[in-house]
């Protein structure tokens, strides 16, 4: 089985789900003939035509709002936001509308919609092509938040998202689009939500991560192994629902947890992981928790030395591993 | 034109709907003053226009994404009075939200009425999405959505109208212009005389009509709905109405509305005018009108009794359902 | 000194700052003749006129966006968002623009702007007049977030916010507008940001809270005292900057921390408090951390029994205190 | 009209600015191909309109809130070429952001140029706020802000234009219409022929002009700026331009732009046309034109050398400043 890229996993999922269910449509900017700025929809316009792949006006609130309406009228839209940084104009439609619709109608109107967005830094994108937005949206009740870390998961989780009857924010680590490679089984099916994956078992401590930081965590664990440290790496895969049981089980096994995320540290997603561990696995802890995250400055700057200084990577994780191991 | 002229029977039905909405609305104000319901936001003064639009639709077939003042429209789409009041009382049987949303945040699935939100303007892109789905599948249902004139200042209005124009969506956007957004007068929302002047910028049809005049409104609405159904795209239909009440039960409009203006509001009330007009036209007799009014009142009484006696929702409804269960 | 209400503190701060500095203007809907829907600006239109108190079109993104522009051109706007739930359309202007402007211009363009918004539940407002939004915005680097819990702080912190050269989100616990009463010194000056306040000293455990939950925490602590529990209550006052040192000091003294917030629990602000404690006061902890917060459903429902079931209050805090005390 | 007709000297200056922008722009594409800079987004094809607008302003006095294509405008407002390139190279000396923002996200405080953001459309409400502050203090500075035609679909465009109309703000909103938003053609953004048709809905003046024609653009821009300064409110000024390049250095436009259309672009280039026109008018001699071109190229060379040799920012700049220090 030849390795594929993460973006191929995305494209295959879209293609197969569109072939499988004609209610699936895609809405976004530059997704038609252009095939998306990252080519996630390449070839789909030619295959499914303008009634399934809809180039939208440059207006994110409407991309989501129109998606909600279409979802409530029998379709299953996949809305593409070109960069996660540009989802902000749609925050109202996502948080106040899509996420609350099912609850506010007492379960009468589900909103089966996926919002895809490339996120994260390291591509020289500066403040507005580098943001991590998962904490903001994981906090919104009624919205599922998914981040794949492997090509197979990209495909399997996106399939699940499209078939799920809830609004789902599907965040794709854009730096990993072509950098993260791996096998995708021919018959790759849906990957269930709410199941974290121990991607590297270990005994000394647990690193909790997702997306690009999971990729780096594996590298850091590899380096740590050379120093005799046996690090367990857990890939969360879905941030909401979170596999709390899986997270706690790992931490209970190892007694130490490093929480790695690329977003700004303060009130980031890792804070929730820390809180749950400090509430529910307190007695199993042999050391303080440790978060490795981006500083609380706006986002990764453009200039390469600044970008490098800003973003946490394998080295920062390895440093954290050493600190925790020493404790 | 002639084939869209309402029959005498239909005119009587229209009057009945307007009266039903008015009587129920009045009851809500009383219930609020009595401290029995926590909030009310009113459609008084908007009824003629709302009835006109509702009758222009194929009710139960076409889709309605209304806003909080659209009491006459949701009643017209089949929502029972008691269901409205169950919402006002926050009772379990409230079909809009099971007591979760504030009163007047209507949702009535059997009548194809979509859920009213509080953040104004959000319904417009959603309505465009409803219409888009309809168009893509080749359906013949028209989407009617409503909004206040103040709320057209929100970016969502603009974005939805762009979709409407670009894709010639089967939609009617009804702007209920009562010249106020709470206390903010229309001239602080727009430097134009008519909201329908905004249509040109979107390549959609714009029409303004006296929304206090039911017959004129019906003609305008009917044309808009028919046009949408026949593939002619969206109409931005402004109905010029009057807000006969404060913004809501939380508002005191004498702070910002001149006394003379308030006093003159009575003259704008579309209902007495409609009544006289229909009687003059012979569409209604004085007796029939009175019968309609009495029937509406008994309906309100019965609904009131039913809703007030209904049980509150179980506490568990506070917690969910948040997520829809899985299905393939 | 007669007691005043929290909303009076707000109004006095606005009035005094407008009198003091003619660059201060107020922008919002219904803030003019109407005096605001909660009457925060009552009397100010008559006093300062239409060039200082500007009724805006019903368009929140522009209320903030225009505020940013005015702030960059020499004014000091106070923008009012009528309810916190309606700030969502302005999320882009706040998070991408106001908060990032200073950093992205290398310190050339500060944005001295306050955004005031009533927030929180308990007033029968249903899903869209009850939301807590502090976590979402405290996570945004470059934005200060302030929540007063007393009338004096309402006045003193708002004065500070208006004089601060950064964009500040000033969240007012609307249920407390008239319910929270207390003295406001005649000469009430600025209350500095970043200084939490021990509003009730105690030895057995610490309750960390802000806004309405601080009010309830004091009630719960009172009840607990009758059961022989000596509870310390800390009012955070500013969420960003957070007085981490103050928080940690209290927890180190008592060894136990209950974190109370009215927002949805998952990835809420309390998670950050938990994380910092679990990182930096781990060895001082005698018990697991405990969060008391709202469930992860959209927001407080309208119907009173549902609203009561949804919102955390003194009873939930007291229960938490007992649980922690027993540990 | 006559008093706004540019003198020969001014025409030569205009040509010089257009040429400076073009030469610098071309250099950036080369630097990108050489892998020396990470990104470039171009103003080629927009220069005539941009120069016209810039010269209509009181440069250094009026305020400019531009967008990423406005290279000629920021140069016209006094930003040195080297400063532009310091941004492209991500060097410490970049006056826009100290290397924090992507290239072409201009900010130049000495020239009253406000900071370009990436999220499109956000500059418009901000520009309205700049203009509001100016108006409230009785100042005479005009605010010019620019946006692409695709970005006018964002809600922020609508909301800003509402403020502009309601408050008669001293502002010019320049829509640089190059008929594409990356790959999305204008007809998917709007169901109208001219962006200026959107002005009517806001009660502001709307003008469309051939932005490839510098003289026509200057007249239109000058009228708009003068009107704004004299209290006449905002003009929505559409300049019809051509995007001679792919959207940015990340784009491949041959996927979506027909080959014939691409081939025909050369004919649209405003610079050769302007050159010939000015020479025909006698505003410029062939020699003078060549001198301008050569001077521009030397300026580019010098700026290039300076910027490439400049140091990177210190790592600490990644962390801040995030917050402004306190002052009373
Ligand atoms: C996004 C948003 N901002 C503010 C409010 C508060 N609010 C509720 S109704 C209203 C006025 C709406 O006026 P208009 O659109 O003219 O409708 P009307 O009530 O006059 O029918 C306001 C400001 C809201 N509900 N949503
Ligand atoms: C809010 C937002 N959404 C998407 C993008 C990505 N994007 C950058 S430029 C652009 C096209 C803009 O087109 P137009 O406004 O016509 O300006 P042009 O580039 O053609 O001059 C897009 C979609 C963005 N920068 N901001
Ligand atoms: Mg109104
Ligand atoms: Mg364009």
């Amino acid at each position: 089985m030849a390795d594929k890229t993460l973006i191929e996993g995305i494209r295959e999922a879209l293609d197969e789900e569109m072939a499988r269910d004609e209610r699936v449509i895609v809405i976004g900017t530059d997704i038609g003939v252009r095939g998306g700025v990252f080519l996630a929809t390449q070839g789909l316009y030619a295959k499914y035509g303008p009634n399934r792949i809809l180039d939208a006006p440059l207006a994110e609130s409407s991309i989501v709002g129109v998606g909600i309406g279409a979802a409530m009228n029998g379709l299953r839209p996949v809305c593409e936001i070109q960069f996660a940084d540009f989802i902000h104009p749609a925050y109202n439609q996502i948080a106040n509308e899509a996420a609350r619709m099912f609850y506010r109608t007492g379960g009468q109107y589900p909103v089966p919609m996926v919002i895809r967005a490339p996120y994260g830094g390291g591509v020289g994108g500066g403040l507005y092509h580098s943001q991590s937005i998962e904490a903001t949206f994981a906090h919104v009740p009624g919205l599922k938040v998914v981040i794949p870390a492997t090509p197979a998961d990209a495909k399997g989780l996106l399939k699940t998202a499209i078939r799920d009857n809830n609004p789902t924010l599907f965040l794709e680590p854009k730096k990993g689009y072509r950098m993260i490679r791996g096998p995708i089984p021919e018959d790759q099916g849906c990957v269930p939500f709410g199941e974290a994956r121990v991607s590297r078992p270990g005994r000394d401590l647990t690193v909790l991560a997702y997306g690009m930081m999971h990729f780096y965590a594996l590298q850091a664990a590899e380096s740590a192994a050379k120093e005799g440290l046996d690090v367990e790496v857990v890939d969360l895969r879905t941030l909401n629902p979170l596999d709390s049981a899986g997270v706690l089980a790992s931490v209970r096994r190892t007694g130490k947890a490093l929480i790695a995320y690329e977003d700004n540290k303060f009130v980031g997603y890792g804070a929730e992981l820390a809180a749950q561990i400090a509430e529910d696995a307190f007695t199993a802890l042999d050391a303080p928790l440790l978060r490795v995250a981006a500083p609380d400055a706006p986002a990764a700057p453009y200039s390469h030395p600044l970008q490098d200084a800003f973003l946490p990577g394998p080295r920062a994780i390895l440093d954290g591993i050493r600190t925790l191991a020493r404790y | 034109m002639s084939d869209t002229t309402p029959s005498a029977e239909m005119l009587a039905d229209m009057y009945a709907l307007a009266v039903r909405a008015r009587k129920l609305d009045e009851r809500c104000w009383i219930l609020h003053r009595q401290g029995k319901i926590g909030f009310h936001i009113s459609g008084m003064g908007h009824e003629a226009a709302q009835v006109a639009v509702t009758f222009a639709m194929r009710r139960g077939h076409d889709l309605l994404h209304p806003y909080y003042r659209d009491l006459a429209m949701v009643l017209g789409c089949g929502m029972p009075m008691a269901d409205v009041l169950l919402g006002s009382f926050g009772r379990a049987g409230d079909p809009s939200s099971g007591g979760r949303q504030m009163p007047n945040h209507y949702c009535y699935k059997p009548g194809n009425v979509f859920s009213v939100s509080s953040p104004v303007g959000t319904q417009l892109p959603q309505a465009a999405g409803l219409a888009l789905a309809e168009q893509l599948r080749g359906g013949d249902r028209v989407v009617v959505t409503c909004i206040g004139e103040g709320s057209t200042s929100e970016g969502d209005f603009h974005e939805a109208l762009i979709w409407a124009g670009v894709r010639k969506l089967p939609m009617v956007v009804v702007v209920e212009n009562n010249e106020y957004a709470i206390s903010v007068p229309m001239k602080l929302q727009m430097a134009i005389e008519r909201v329908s002047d905004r249509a040109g910028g979107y390549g959609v049809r714009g029409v303004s009509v006296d929304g206090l005049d039911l017959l004129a409104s019906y003609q305008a609405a009917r044309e808009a709905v028919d046009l949408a159904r026949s593939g002619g795209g969206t109409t931005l239909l402004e109905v010029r109405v009057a807000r006969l009440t404060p913004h809501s039960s939380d508002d005191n409009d004498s702070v910002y509305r001149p006394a003379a203006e308030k006093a003159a509001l009575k003259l704008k009330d579309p209902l007495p005018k409609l009544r006289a007009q229909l009687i003059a036209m012979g569409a209604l007799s004085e007796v029939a009108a009175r019968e309609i009014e009495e029937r509406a009142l008994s309906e309100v009484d019965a609904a009131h009794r039913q809703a007030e006696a209904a049980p509150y929702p179980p506490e568990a409804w506070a917690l969910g359902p948040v997520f829809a269960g899985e299905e393939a």
Side-chain angles (χ1 to χ4, degrees), chain A, chain B:
Chain A
M1 196 159 51
D3 274 1
K4 291 187 171 166
T5 61
L6 199 137
I7 190 82
E8 284 175 291
I10 303 292
R11 199 182 304 126
E12 287 183 9
L14 288 171
D15 190 2
E16 289 178 20
E17 291 304 305
M18 290 190 77
R20 177 185 168 273
D21 183 349
E22 64 175 19
R23 296 170 304 171
V24 177
I25 62 168
V26 183
I27 305 176
T29 57
D30 304 298
I31 62 164
V33 180
R34 179 74 174 77
V37 298
F38 292 102
L39 304 183
T41 53
Q42 196 174 35
L44 300 184
Y45 185 81
K47 188 162 173 187
Y48 298 103
N51 283 352
R52 303 282 305 279
I53 303 280
L54 285 81
D55 263 325
L58 183 37
E60 286 79 6
S61 181
S62 76
I63 290 174
V64 173
V66 165
I68 294 171
M72 293 196 301
N73 195 10
L75 299 182
R76 303 182 79 83
V78 178
C79 301
E80 177 176 310
I81 299 293
Q82 205 161 76
F83 285 83
D85 319 60
F86 305 140
I87 204 170
H88 300 6
Y91 181 71
N92 191 38
Q93 286 286 352
I94 297 172
N96 264 341
E97 299 295 320
R100 282 169 161 81
M101 189 66 75
F102 191 71
Y103 179 86
R104 92 176 189 218
T105 60
Q108 293 178 91
Y109 281 102
V111 179
M113 174 176 63
V114 179
I115 302 168
R116 291 183 43 244
Y119 87 102
V123 299
L127 306 194
Y128 299 107
H129 299 78
S130 302
Q131 293 176 33
S132 290
I133 61 164
E134 66 274 15
T136 307
F137 288 96
H139 180 55
V140 174
L143 184 70
K144 298 191 176 180
V145 179
V146 178
I147 300 185
T150 68
D153 272 0
K155 181 167 181 180
L157 289 167
L158 183 52
K159 279 173 164 261
T160 306
I162 292 172
R163 297 188 202 180
D164 195 288
N165 280 329
N166 297 283
T168 301
L169 178 63
F170 195 87
L171 294 173
E172 302 164 8
K174 72 171 93 72
K175 190 181 167 66
Y177 269 152
R178 286 169 182 82
M179 179 182 291
I180 299 180
R181 310 179 74 91
I184 302 180
E186 267 309 315
D187 59 348
Q188 176 67 55
C190 291
V191 171
F193 286 179
E195 295 187 10
R197 182 175 61 99
V198 176
S199 54
R200 186 187 206 283
R203 278 163 316 172
D204 295 339
L205 62 88
T206 297
V207 176
L208 301 168
Y210 50 89
M212 209 55 212
M213 289 298 270
H214 172 264
F215 185 77
Y216 296 143
L218 287 179
Q219 295 179 353
E222 209 57 51
S223 308
K226 295 189 188 115
E227 303 174 14
L229 296 172
D230 189 17
V231 173
E232 175 147 313
V233 178
V234 177
D235 172 11
L236 297 184
R237 299 208 284 196
T238 64
L239 274 57
N240 190 2
L242 166 65
D243 181 3
S244 299
V247 166
L248 295 172
S250 172
V251 176
R252 287 198 187 102
R253 275 195 301 273
T254 63
K256 294 179 179 178
L258 185 154
I259 299 160
Y261 53 112
E262 191 188 299
D263 196 359
N264 308 107
K265 187 177 196 176
F266 194 69
V267 202
Y269 188 80
E272 176 65 27
L273 297 173
Q276 293 201 11
I277 295 167
E279 289 180 316
D280 298 326
F282 177 70
T283 52
L285 281 180
D286 299 329
L289 295 173
L290 185 61
R291 290 181 292 168
V292 171
D296 292 310
Y302 172 74
S303 182
H304 284 277
L306 299 186
Q307 178 176 285
D308 291 347
F310 186 94
L311 288 174
R315 218 178 33 197
I317 298 173
L318 182 60
D319 286 347
I321 289 172
R322 291 185 184 130
T323 304
L324 270 194
R326 267 198 305 271
Y327 192 89
Chain B
M1 283 282 276
S2 63
D3 63 328
T4 65
T5 305
S7 64
E9 198 191 324
M10 184 164 152
L11 287 169
D13 287 348
M14 286 171 142
Y15 181 65
L17 177 55
V19 169
R20 290 174 65 229
R22 173 63 61 92
K23 298 286 180 205
L24 180 58
D25 208 322
E26 286 171 344
R27 180 62 51 90
C28 289
W29 284 102
I30 293 169
L31 290 171
H32 182 266
R33 268 197 301 278
Q34 294 174 338
K36 290 188 173 179
I37 65 176
F39 179 81
H40 181 60
I41 190 160
S42 186
M44 284 194 207
H46 291 225
E47 296 101 332
Q50 290 178 10
V51 168
V53 171
T54 314
F55 272 78
M57 297 170 64
R58 288 196 200 152
R59 286 174 284 157
H61 179 72
D62 291 337
L63 311 184
L64 176 66
H65 208 344
Y67 88 122
Y68 47 77
R69 291 208 194 281
D70 290 327
L71 177 57
M73 298 191 74
V74 302
L75 292 178
C77 287
M79 188 165 183
M81 281 191 185
D83 281 3
V84 171
L85 287 178
L86 287 166
S88 303
F89 281 105
R91 302 301 157 100
D94 160 34
S96 297
S97 70
R100 293 178 187 85
Q101 287 231 80
M102 287 178 75
N104 316 102
H105 285 57
Y106 309 110
C107 177
Y108 188 65
K109 203 168 184 185
N112 289 343
V113 176
F114 288 81
S115 165
V116 171
S117 194
S118 298
V120 297
T122 52
Q123 72 275 28
L124 260 72
Q126 293 170 21
L130 293 171
L132 176 70
E134 205 55 34
Q135 182 186 63
L136 289 176
R137 80 162 69 85
D140 74 338
R141 298 188 300 176
V142 171
V143 177
V144 173
T145 187
C146 307
I147 185 170
E149 90 293 344
S151 304
T152 66
S153 294
E154 296 281 358
D156 270 359
F157 171 84
H158 177 68
E159 300 189 7
L161 267 289
I162 288 174
W163 280 83
V166 167
R167 301 210 171 246
K168 264 187 168 291
L169 295 178
M171 179 162 71
V172 180
V173 177
V174 180
V175 179
E176 302 185 25
N177 184 353
N178 57 20
E179 295 181 7
Y180 279 97
I182 308 187
S183 73
V184 180
M186 180 180 162
K187 72 173 197 303
L188 289 179
Q189 305 285 351
M190 60 192 90
I192 49 175
E193 293 300 315
R194 296 172 310 183
V195 177
S196 62
D197 290 346
R198 291 192 166 158
Y202 303 107
V204 306
R205 190 163 156 265
V207 176
S208 289
V209 69
D210 178 0
L212 302 175
D213 180 338
L214 189 144
L215 295 182
S217 298
Y218 176 71
Q219 286 302 338
R222 186 64 200 266
E223 278 166 35
V225 170
D226 290 352
L227 187 77
R229 199 181 317 280
S230 62
T234 298
T235 298
L236 178 63
L237 173 62
E238 174 186 28
V239 293
R240 314 270 324 201
V241 297
R243 200 187 80 195
L244 299 181
T245 66
H247 173 72
S248 75
S249 57
D250 284 343
D251 186 34
N252 171 12
D253 62 354
S254 44
V255 181
Y256 57 85
R257 223 170 168 176
E261 182 184 312
K262 285 196 70 172
L265 276 178
K266 277 188 212 71
L267 303 175
K268 294 205 168 179
D269 189 337
L271 259 68
K273 192 172 142 185
L274 176 64
R275 189 181 200 274
Q277 192 181 13
L278 294 188
I279 288 175
M281 285 169 69
L284 211 62
S285 68
E286 175 65 37
V287 172
R290 210 167 296 164
E291 216 175 86
I292 283 171
E293 288 144 16
E294 280 159 17
R295 222 181 309 128
L297 207 57
S298 335
E299 193 187 348
V300 171
D301 285 334
H304 172 179
R305 275 192 304 272
Q306 183 190 332
E308 195 168 4
Y312 280 107
E315 286 191 2
W317 288 18
L319 307 184
V322 175
F323 287 110
E326 305 298 314
E327 68 187 52

